Amino acid sequence: MSLHLAEISLAVAPGAHAVVLMDQAGWHLTGKLDVPHNISIVALPAKCPELNPVENIWQFMRDNWLSNRVFTSYDNIVDLCCEAWNKLVDQPWRIMTIGRRKWARGS
């Protein structure tokens, strides 16, 4: 997670500050996490998946490409998950639609 935050930090414009929303997974909020000076973490309330749009992304992938399968091995699981992810990445409009929240758009 520290490496991920370091990469995000590199993409923040000089003089700007990023806010990263995270669920309360242990590795997101551990005291061992190295948070760059140009990033603030805002923790989402516990047990509120409706506030975290990525939860809907994972559900979409499970519903459409990963459910009702028999996986033959660990490598098969990884391969099929990568395939599903790549299908989704090729559809940015779908990601925006799934992740959009009416309450966040304003009037």
Side-chain angles (χ1 to χ4, degrees):
M1 194 66 214
S2 292
L3 292 174
H4 183 68
L5 290 175
E7 286 296 317
I8 293 171
S9 176
L10 294 174
V12 177
H17 193 85
V19 175
V20 179
L21 296 174
M22 293 188 191
D23 61 22
Q24 294 191 35
W27 57 89
H28 289 164
L29 301 176
T30 178
K32 297 176 184 177
L33 191 61
D34 184 19
V35 181
H37 70 281
N38 61 345
I39 293 178
S40 292
I41 295 175
V42 174
L44 294 170
K47 300 178 183 173
C48 293
E50 68 277 6
L51 296 178
N52 189 353
V54 78
E55 296 294 339
N56 298 96
I57 297 290
W58 299 130
Q59 188 63 49
F60 176 85
M61 289 173 55
R62 284 190 298 268
D63 289 347
N64 290 280
W65 300 313
L66 297 172
S67 62
N68 299 317
R69 290 180 171 261
V70 174
F71 299 103
T72 58
S73 66
Y74 172 80
D75 288 336
N76 180 238
I77 294 170
V78 172
D79 290 344
L80 291 170
C81 287
C82 288
E83 182 182 311
W85 182 257
N86 288 328
K87 283 181 190 177
L88 186 63
V89 168
D90 287 340
Q91 302 174 35
W93 64 90
R94 188 173 310 276
I95 296 169
M96 290 185 290
T97 301
I98 294 168
R100 189 172 290 143
R101 296 290 186 265
K102 289 181 184 177
W103 55 264
R105 281 190 249 163
S107 52

